[in-house]
Amino acid sequence: MAMASNHLRNLTRISVHRILHHRFQSLLNAARFFSDAASSVPQPQPNQQSSPPSSLKDYELAKFAAIADSWWDSEGPFKPLHVMNPTRLAFIRSALCRHFKKDPYSAKPLEGLKIADVGCGGGILSEPLARLGATVTGVDAVEKNIKIAQLHAGLDPVTSTIEFCCTTAEKLVEEGRTFDAVMALEVIEHVANPADFCRSLSALTVPNGATVISTINRSMRAYATAIVAAEYILRWLPRGTHQWSSFLTPEELVLILQRAGINVEEMAGFVYNPVTGRWSLSDDISVNFIAFATKSNSTE
Amino acid sequence: MNRLMKKTISNVRALKIPRKYFCTEGVKVAGSTTGEASNEHEKKQAINKIIPQYDIAIVGGGMVGMALACFLASMPMTKQLNVAIIDSNPALASGLHIKKEDAPDPRVSTVTPASISFLQDAGAWKYVEQNRHAYFNVMQVWDYTGLGYARYNARDVNKDFLGCVAENKVLHNALLSCVKDSDFKTTIYPLRLSSMTLNTSSMSIVEENTNSVEPSSAQGHGAKLQLSDGSSLYAKLVVGADGGKSHVRELAGIKTTGWNYSQNAIICTVEHTSENVCAWQRFLPSGPIALLPIGDKFSNIVWTMSPAESNSRKSTTEEEFLKDVNYALDYGYGPRPTSGLLGTRDMFSWFKMDAAISTNEFFEIPPKVTKLASERMVFPLSLRHANSYSSKRVVLIGDAAHTVHPLAGQGVNLGFGDAFSLSRIIAEGIALGSDIGEVNLLKKYEAERRSGNIMMMAILDGFQKAYSVDFGPFNILRAAAFHGANYISPLKKSIISYASGDHKLPIFL
């Protein structure tokens, strides 16, 4: 909790516009980069809603369960993401508490909020949000991820209430769904048209609602760490996971969000300390960064 | 389902715990809650096949386990947790009844100022103060060679006291009362843990589900604990607070490193003619003897010696034993220290500029022991440290993680420190929506505690080893070190601070 309140304090110092420092990046810092959306690249998928686990065939369940174990194995291949998760939650928690005037000392401060987690993967963000009291809808274009997420969330009565759907943000808009807050963490760098995607996020957000986006900066450091180190040297990610040219700089993100009717209010960077193996929030947004934005009252 | 439920209740009743004890507020005994809960969450219970689900199961409701419950009860993030306490000690369910006029129990602990402030913040210390306890502000340490002594005064570190000695039952009762008086949801199982299934992995759930119509949520999340009456429960986090021979540690497959000292400690309560207000410790060839004030005219004795000596001293007459004690505390084995020997006072005189106030305090003779006020108990000494404090869904605190030499009464303080640190880490995890049994979270607790605990263990072990050698030159060296510690005030301050639990590292920089 002490850590969380430190984050709260740090956050107040972080402003929107940053000058990027294109400094040489040592290989040690290679570990700064991680993306959980590696496997959630939107792909053309059959439009069917995923079915509940009980109706699945046994061998399929067993297969998905085996993968679910690796998604959720905190010592496994997704370990860096598990380590990073509390850090981004600290940012999201404090920003949402402040925006929606919720009690930050409550154990379930997000109670009463409807939140969409776009590109939810195995549900690593959806589950903590549900534990914090939110009513969560997790969507991912990859059916496999949705099944894994459902299987894992079903283990705990608190998280079993999360609604997981194999769909896309665009389709949710078509269905006319809206949420108090929309999360799209490590997703925007994978979409074909970021501007369209942001318009969809805006359409999903209620007036006065919040949008949280995290991604990777299009900086030299990000190129060195997210692509050269993570994909080629450390092989955390399959080659070709990220296209450097499709990354957005914080300025660009602010602009396209603005055009979609969303105003960025806070931005923070994530930095990885290879010695302690922990991530922390910082005002260095040159590689991984997260933005908290709100939708103004009078849009479209 | 009903049959199963009845069975659970009748099993609990079979333990012959008077019914009235079930009605204690706040703390509920298993069985009675099973009945109530099934009405409230009938649907949930039906799905869970009436296996109750808890956030945390504390195995071992001793001082450290209850301290954890107390810390959890006192924080807004954690006070809504649903906690099960598993301990076969019937006193836990019935509440301890302490009368002030009872003779003091020989099992006592020296609580450091750091631990006192944890307990004060949690609201438990006021219950300790209602019973017998003794603050002390002076401590004198010397050795049998008569070459050195050190007096530590609370004033040296700008404190009112160096510590407080209280009987374990007083501390335990205070923590129990504190949990009972809070609105914290705890369920006490007066049973033993018989087995633990940690890997409720998705695979096994799939297998179990193939034959059932229930969705996967039918299976509990987390560790499944089987109790001695055949009942079981689920917990997201299992806390092993079950002492040096921890069953949780064994079931989790966590190995320990350590050794047994070929030494025993005799503990007992003694009486003086007037009240003792100082903590005394004298190092003898066979090991240290400590005389700790415990309030009124009573003191506690912890005396380390070889197993053969301890057995004979346990069975001798009271008179003989008291004679031995007074001998050991005063002129036995060597002369009383006097200033000026070896010129140590001059040797360290150049430190005098910033010398601590108590440097000028003269050696004092501890008060005579006149009466034995309890039975003599003998304990073997050992040092044991768990190779890991945590694994998925399991975490160890207190003696389950580390057993130390009782030399400075640090054992329970390390345990309180563990409990405090774990409660903060859990609160932090809850604030960020983490699964509290997640290993990454538990490793944070381990990282916070491990180095400090190892350091304290090494220091106590070093003390023990330094005094198990009786060799002329070494004795002088040791005495010089004593004088050094007494005269070099920064060093002395850091020793006191460390012993009172203030500093994380005993490095005096």
Side-chain angles (χ1 to χ4, degrees), chain B residues 103-397:
Chain B
D105 198 86
R107 276 163 292 204
V108 303
S109 293
T110 311
V111 190
T112 61
S115 298
I116 292 173
S117 78
F118 294 156
L119 297 178
Q120 260 165 350
D121 292 348
W125 190 251
K126 59 177 188 280
Y127 298 99
V128 176
E129 287 186 320
Q130 286 166 9
N131 277 300
R132 182 169 32 226
H133 65 282
Y135 290 101
F136 60 93
N137 54 17
V138 184
M139 184 172 163
Q140 178 175 294
V141 185
W142 72 109
D143 76 350
Y144 69 95
T145 58
L147 297 178
Y149 74 93
R151 277 179 77 85
Y152 301 111
N153 198 309
R155 278 174 300 161
D156 296 344
V157 285
N158 298 317
K159 288 234 161 81
D160 295 330
F161 49 86
L162 290 173
C164 181
V165 185
E167 291 152 64
N168 290 356
K169 66 176 186 193
V170 169
L171 289 167
H172 193 204
N173 185 59
L175 292 161
L176 206 56
S177 308
C178 180
V179 174
K180 275 183 183 171
D181 292 354
S182 70
D183 47 8
F184 194 48
K185 265 188 287 171
T186 52
T187 308
I188 291 173
Y189 286 82
L191 298 166
R192 252 179 257 280
L193 175 67
S194 51
S195 75
M196 178 163 72
T197 319
L198 290 170
N199 295 323
T200 33
S201 79
S202 315
M203 280 310 284
S204 63
I205 285 158
V206 172
E207 281 157 27
E208 283 169 43
N209 271 356
T210 47
N211 298 325
S212 93
V213 210
E214 301 287 351
S216 60
S217 61
Q219 300 306 320
H221 188 46
K224 186 180 183 184
L225 300 183
Q226 214 111 40
L227 306 180
S228 49
D229 70 343
S231 66
S232 46
L233 57 93
Y234 281 112
K236 289 177 188 165
L237 175 63
V238 180
V239 181
D242 48 350
K245 290 175 184 156
S246 172
H247 197 198
V248 172
R249 187 181 65 209
E250 193 193 314
L251 291 172
I254 298 173
K255 299 264 182 296
T256 61
T257 327
W259 49 83
N260 296 321
Y261 298 100
S262 57
Q263 279 189 314
N264 285 353
I266 287 195
I267 63 168
C268 61
T269 310
V270 293
E271 219 178 318
H272 309 283
T273 43
S274 60
E275 195 174 345
N276 174 22
V277 288
C278 172
W280 312 85
Q281 185 146 308
R282 186 175 189 225
F283 289 91
L284 304 175
S286 57
I289 179 168
L291 184 75
L292 301 166
I294 49 172
D296 303 332
K297 284 175 184 170
F298 296 109
S299 286
N300 185 264
I301 283 188
V302 183
W303 190 359
T304 312
M305 58 190 81
S306 71
E309 278 178 296
S310 71
N311 288 334
S312 73
R313 285 216 172 92
K314 185 179 156 69
S315 49
T316 57
T317 60
E318 184 181 335
E319 272 167 62
E320 199 65 30
F321 181 73
L322 292 179
K323 214 179 95 190
D324 281 359
V325 167
N326 283 321
Y327 181 74
L329 283 170
D330 191 359
Y331 50 84
Y333 310 99
R336 290 173 192 155
T338 46
S339 38
L341 254 177
L342 272 182
T344 38
R345 199 155 267 237
D346 299 329
M347 213 163 96
F348 293 102
S349 57
W350 31 289
F351 285 113
K352 268 203 170 163
M353 303 264 259
D354 59 343
I357 309 157
S358 53
T359 306
N360 302 320
E361 282 186 21
F362 289 109
F363 175 79
E364 277 180 34
I365 300 160
K368 277 262 178 304
V369 170
T370 56
K371 218 170 133 188
L372 190 63
S374 78
E375 54 167 334
R376 284 160 275 180
M377 303 170 92
V378 175
F379 293 97
L381 301 181
S382 64
L383 181 143
R384 210 144 284 281
H385 193 249
N387 294 349
S388 159
Y389 288 6
S390 57
S391 65
K392 194 170 162 61
R393 308 220 169 275
V394 179
V395 67
L396 303 176
I397 58 173

Side-chain angles (χ1 to χ4, degrees), chain A residues 215-274:
Chain A
T215 185
I216 307 162
N217 198 341
R218 195 175 68 248
S219 65
M220 289 315 289
R221 276 175 75 182
Y223 184 77
T225 57
I227 296 179
V228 177
E231 292 181 19
Y232 288 82
I233 300 170
L234 299 170
R235 302 203 179 155
W236 281 357
L237 300 169
R239 287 178 196 181
T241 299
H242 288 110
Q243 301 289 314
W244 186 69
S245 56
S246 63
F247 291 170
L248 294 169
T249 64
E251 290 81 357
E252 287 164 348
L253 183 66
V254 168
L255 266 173
I256 61 167
L257 283 172
Q258 223 161 38
R259 285 190 201 129
I262 306 175
N263 300 313
V264 174
E265 296 191 351
E266 269 181 71
M267 208 177 266
F270 293 125
V271 289
Y272 181 77
N273 181 338

Side-chain angles (χ1 to χ4, degrees), chain B residues 63-81:
Chain B
M63 288 192 284
V64 174
M66 290 314 294
L68 176 65
C70 215
F71 295 147
L72 292 172
S74 69
M75 283 184 293
M77 285 293 161
T78 51
K79 70 178 178 203
Q80 87 300 335
L81 289 172

